């Protein structure tokens, strides 16, 4: 038995997403599709077992074949790689692991020749402990100017043996480490919200912004088209560094309401400073990683003098449940609308479980991931897809000895970390490492059962996940029905959602357990085969 969707009848008001773009001409990023490349897992051009930038360049034809507008490269700056590059020792050079700065120039040239923009990760909240500033701070001693670039404090209690407050690291354990002073005696503590090799910078010190400005201009002058700003809600710390109300061993950044470590008012002055630099470069985009769920507070990051785009993680966090999905969409649109800004959508990145795994794994998990992708691509705004998402890659369960994420050690082996969603891309062949590298010893192992998931296998298969993603992306790019900045909710049966874009596209998603009839119109794309004209469970359809 099927249920019906009444196209044209409205439930809830129209929701409009803003489209401010600084002028009459719409900015390139306002409906761009960004492809996130995790460089160490993309393609290894030199056989060391790690992906590198010449590897990305070698695969530019593949990236272009997906129809993406821009690449977001995870950090490639010089780093000891304690957190895979989010521990930066020299922000104005590229690490030799990735091929040095020449390799980035080659990549940028190749991307631009293919009409693809290049954005990089920027890490302003912390540096590596190997950064010359931190090394100087260790050598200079308490009270020195060098220590003022970071957050050093004396410990509390007899002999200063207790950390200055009760903050915990996002990766587990305390957010403070104690150092030995030059005389070998135990001395001050320094703050690190992440790994101990990632000391937090003191953003009250003007030198910190001055240096970031140099970094921004260095890359923007070199032709980089923008930045994804790491922990963009984290740089400002509250005066006096008050204790946290509750010590939570939380899962990464996902759950930070009422947390003094993040989202402090001072962060907005920092974004205003950063934005002034961006404004000197006409088309450069600033995209913030903002784990904030209050719509008003989230919108503050998108004010006209702050970020252009901010990741709203609500859709990524939604269960495969109609009410949850609709709530995530409504809230994300509302948050962007408050600031008259462009919404951004994502279902995956290098910090979270792969979408097919999150949605239950197996065939159903992949079906749901494809349905969610259609809902995401049907929405107004910018979209981010994480490499391998287009292949339908799931998480991989790794043995303990293969784990590389610092979360594993810092949590005392209680949290396995994020390696499961960072496995290298399987390109071709029938056995690991599936053409990712000539070296069988890759930085994370690829599982043998990915033989059917390689790009080679999926390339010519019209029923593959890859073919589906290419088709969906192409339609989103080409069809006028995806135009406009509003959606109108349509009445639909329980456990389903349906909305219409002002360009005319209708998107229906079935999160229920029964097939549903589709509204009138031609089916442009469906994520699963229709059954007697009806949309099966775990599927979505676009109609015009
Ligand atoms: C967020 C990044 O996405 C994550 O991978 C990293 O570990 C932390 N920020 C710390 O830089």
């Amino acid at each position: 038995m099927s249920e019906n969707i009444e196209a044209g009848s409205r439930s809830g008001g129209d929701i409009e997403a803003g489209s401010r773009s600084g002028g009459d001409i719409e900015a390139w990023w306002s409906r761009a599709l960004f492809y996130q490349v995790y460089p160490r897992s993309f393609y290894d051009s030199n056989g060391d077992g790690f992906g590198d930038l010449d590897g990305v360049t070698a695969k530019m034809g593949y990236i272009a074949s997906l129809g993406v507008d821009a690449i977001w490269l995870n950090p490639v700056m010089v780093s000891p790689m304690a957190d895979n590059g989010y521990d930066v020792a020299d922000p104005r050079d590229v690490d030799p692991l990735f091929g040095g700065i020449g390799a980035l120039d080659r990549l940028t040239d190749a991307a631009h020749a293919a009409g693809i923009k290049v954005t990089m990760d920027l890490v302003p909240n912390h540096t590596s402990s190997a950064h010359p500033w931190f090394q100087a701070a260790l050598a200079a001693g308490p009270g020195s100017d060098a220590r003022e670039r970071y957050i050093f404090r004396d410990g509390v209690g007899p002999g200063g043996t207790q950390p200055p407050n009760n903050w915990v690291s996002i990766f587990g354990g305390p957010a403070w480490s104690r150092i030995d002073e030059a005389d070998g005696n135990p001395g001050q503590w320094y703050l690190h919200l992440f790994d101990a090799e990632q000391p937090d910078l003191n953003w009250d010190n003007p030198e910190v912004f001055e240096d970031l400005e140099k970094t921004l201009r260095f890359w923007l002058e070199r032709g980089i088209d923008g930045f994804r700003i790491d922990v963009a809600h984290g740089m400002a710390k509250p005066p006096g560094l008050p204790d946290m109300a509750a010590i939570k061993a939380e899962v990464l950044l996902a759950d930070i309401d009422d947390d003094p470590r993040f989202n402090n008012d001072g962060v907005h002055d920092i974004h205003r400073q950063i934005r002034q630099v961006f404004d000197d470069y006409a088309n450069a985009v600033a995209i913030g990683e903002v784990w904030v769920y209050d719509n008003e507070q989230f919108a503050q990051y998108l004010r006209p003098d702050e970020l252009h785009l901010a990741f709203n993680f609500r859709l990524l966090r939604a269960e495969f449940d109609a009410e949850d999905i609709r709530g995530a969409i409504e809230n994300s649109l509302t948050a962007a609308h408050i600031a008259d800004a462009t919404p951004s959508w994502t279902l995956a990145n290098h910090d979270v479980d792969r979408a097919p795994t999150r949605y239950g794994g197996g065939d159903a998990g992949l079906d749901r991931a494809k349905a969610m992708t259609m809902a995401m691509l049907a929405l107004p705004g910018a979209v981010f897809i994480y490499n391998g998402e287009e292949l339908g890659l799931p998480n991989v369960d790794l043995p303990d000895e293969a784990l590389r994420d610092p979360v594993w050690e810092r949590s005392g082996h209680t949290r396995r970390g994020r390696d499961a969603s960072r496995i290298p891309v399987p390109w071709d062949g029938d056995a690991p490492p599936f053409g990712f590298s000539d070296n069988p010893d890759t930085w994370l192992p690829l599982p043998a059962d990915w033989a059917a998931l390689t790009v080679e296998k999926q390339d010519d298969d019209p029923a593959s996940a890859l073919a589906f993603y290419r088709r969906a992306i192409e339609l989103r790019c080409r069809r006028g029905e995806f135009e406009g900045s509003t959606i109108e909710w349509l009445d639909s049966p329980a456990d389903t959602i349906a909305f219409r874009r002002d360009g005319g596209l209708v998107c229906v998603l079935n999160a229920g357990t029964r097939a549903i009839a589709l509204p009138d119109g031609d089916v442009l794309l469906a994520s699963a085969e229709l059954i007697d004209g009806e949309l099966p469970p775990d599927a979505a359809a676009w109609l015009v």
Side-chain angles (χ1 to χ4, degrees):
M1 200 176 90
S2 72
E3 302 181 52
N4 288 308
I5 289 177
E6 210 182 304
S9 73
R10 207 174 275 190
S11 71
D14 292 2
I15 295 193
E16 186 170 346
S19 56
R20 168 172 45 76
S21 57
D24 291 328
I25 303 166
E26 215 182 50
W28 66 265
W29 39 261
S30 66
R31 49 171 303 190
L33 193 139
F34 291 80
Y35 183 66
Q36 178 190 352
V37 172
Y38 199 65
R40 62 170 51 215
S41 291
F42 201 64
Y43 180 62
D44 174 14
S45 75
N46 65 359
D48 65 0
F50 292 85
D52 47 52
L53 294 179
D54 282 327
V56 180
T57 305
K59 298 294 185 185
M60 197 59 71
Y62 171 76
I63 295 173
S65 80
L66 300 174
V68 308
D69 302 295
I71 294 170
W72 153 30
L73 283 177
N74 285 99
V76 294
M77 293 138 175
V78 173
S79 166
M81 305 289 167
D83 183 22
N84 294 357
Y86 284 100
D87 47 320
V88 178
D90 180 353
R92 296 186 281 279
D93 201 356
V94 172
D95 199 275
L97 182 76
F98 295 124
I101 203 158
L104 182 65
D105 289 341
R106 290 189 286 280
L107 183 157
T108 309
D109 288 348
H112 287 169
I116 296 171
K117 309 267 191 197
V118 179
T119 61
M120 293 172 82
D121 234 300
L122 181 78
V123 189
N125 180 68
H126 43 267
T127 69
S128 162
S129 52
H131 190 291
W133 274 8
F134 193 73
Q135 290 302 312
L138 292 183
S144 60
D145 288 350
R147 288 223 174 152
E148 277 305 300
R149 295 183 185 127
Y150 294 91
I151 303 177
F152 280 88
R153 294 286 185 275
D154 293 332
V156 295
T161 52
Q162 298 305 308
N165 71 16
N166 72 353
W167 291 8
V168 291
S169 154
I170 297 290
F171 291 170
W176 297 91
S177 288
R178 195 171 194 190
I179 58 165
D180 285 335
E181 300 295 355
D183 59 9
N185 287 321
Q188 288 197 299
W189 298 72
Y190 68 91
L191 178 71
H192 52 85
L193 293 183
F194 296 90
D195 198 75
E197 276 75 43
Q198 294 168 293
D200 279 53
L201 285 161
N202 171 19
W203 271 88
D204 291 331
N205 184 337
E207 277 186 65
V208 172
F209 173 71
E210 282 162 23
D211 193 69
L212 189 84
E213 176 169 3
K214 276 191 210 156
T215 299
L216 286 169
R217 292 193 192 279
F218 178 85
W219 297 112
L220 291 168
E221 295 291 340
R222 230 177 160 89
I224 293 300
D225 301 294
F227 292 91
R228 175 267 192 189
I229 301 179
D230 190 56
V231 210
H233 59 313
M235 288 92 86
K237 305 299 184 292
L241 305 179
D243 276 349
M244 300 168 66
I247 301 174
K248 4 180 198 185
E250 66 200 28
V251 180
L252 298 174
L253 290 172
D255 186 18
I256 59 142
D257 283 349
D258 297 327
D259 184 331
R261 297 170 301 173
F262 298 100
N263 194 29
N264 287 291
D265 287 347
V267 80
H268 297 290
D269 287 336
I270 297 171
H271 284 300
R272 279 188 273 272
Q273 284 181 291
I274 292 175
R275 178 58 181 266
Q276 280 182 12
V277 180
F278 275 82
D279 283 347
D280 285 345
Y281 301 85
N283 289 313
V285 63
I287 309 153
E289 184 200 22
V290 178
W291 294 92
V292 171
Y293 302 109
D294 179 275
N295 290 339
E296 297 282 344
Q297 290 183 27
F298 182 89
Q300 290 180 357
Y301 290 83
L302 290 169
R303 287 179 289 203
D305 55 354
E306 298 196 35
L307 294 162
H308 299 102
L309 298 174
F311 282 102
N312 194 315
F313 293 109
R314 281 180 181 272
L315 194 63
L316 181 154
R317 280 164 52 89
E319 300 285 324
F320 191 74
D321 169 90
E323 218 178 300
D324 226 24
I325 298 165
R326 178 170 168 158
I329 293 172
E330 283 180 336
N331 276 293
S332 303
L333 289 172
T334 300
H337 178 54
I338 292 168
D340 190 24
T342 300
S344 317
W345 309 97
T346 184
L347 293 172
N349 64 39
H350 63 293
D351 289 331
V352 299
D353 289 335
R354 289 274 187 188
T357 303
R358 279 201 325 269
Y359 299 132
D363 290 346
L366 179 57
D367 287 348
R368 292 171 183 163
K370 286 161 70 178
M372 289 295 284
T373 299
M374 286 188 67
M376 173 172 79
L377 293 176
L379 290 162
V383 167
F384 292 77
I385 286 186
Y386 172 45
N387 64 206
E389 201 173 337
E390 76 280 12
L391 301 173
L393 299 183
N395 269 20
V396 175
D397 290 330
L398 293 168
D400 293 359
E401 62 277 11
L403 297 176
R404 297 284 173 268
D405 188 340
V407 168
W408 173 237
E409 290 302 329
R410 278 204 65 85
S411 68
H413 297 185
T414 57
R415 287 158 55 195
R416 301 189 73 73
R418 301 156 293 178
D419 294 314
S421 62
R422 297 173 172 180
I423 306 297
V425 171
W427 290 98
D428 47 48
D430 295 310
F434 296 115
F436 162 70
S437 173
D438 291 343
N439 189 334
D441 190 16
T442 54
W443 81 278
L444 289 176
L446 292 88
D449 65 3
W450 275 13
L453 296 179
T454 62
V455 171
E456 180 184 46
K457 292 265 167 48
Q458 298 201 36
D459 227 355
D460 297 327
D461 176 2
S464 68
L466 178 58
F468 163 78
Y469 273 84
R470 281 191 176 130
R471 179 82 183 126
I473 293 169
E474 185 202 350
L475 290 169
R476 175 183 183 271
C477 170
R478 195 163 50 79
R479 300 284 300 213
E481 293 89 348
F482 289 77
E483 297 284 330
S485 58
T486 64
I487 69 165
E488 175 194 354
W489 291 104
L490 307 176
D491 279 344
S492 66
D495 302 324
T496 71
I497 61 165
F499 61 87
R500 177 165 40 217
R501 291 287 296 275
D502 37 12
L505 179 83
V506 171
C507 177
V508 182
L509 181 144
N510 185 358
T513 52
R514 290 179 294 178
I516 55 166
L518 288 167
D520 291 342
D522 295 332
V523 176
L524 203 55
L525 184 68
S527 63
E529 229 173 282
L530 301 185
I531 303 166
D532 298 329
E534 297 192 330
L535 185 67
D538 300 334
W542 289 341
L543 298 101
V544 291

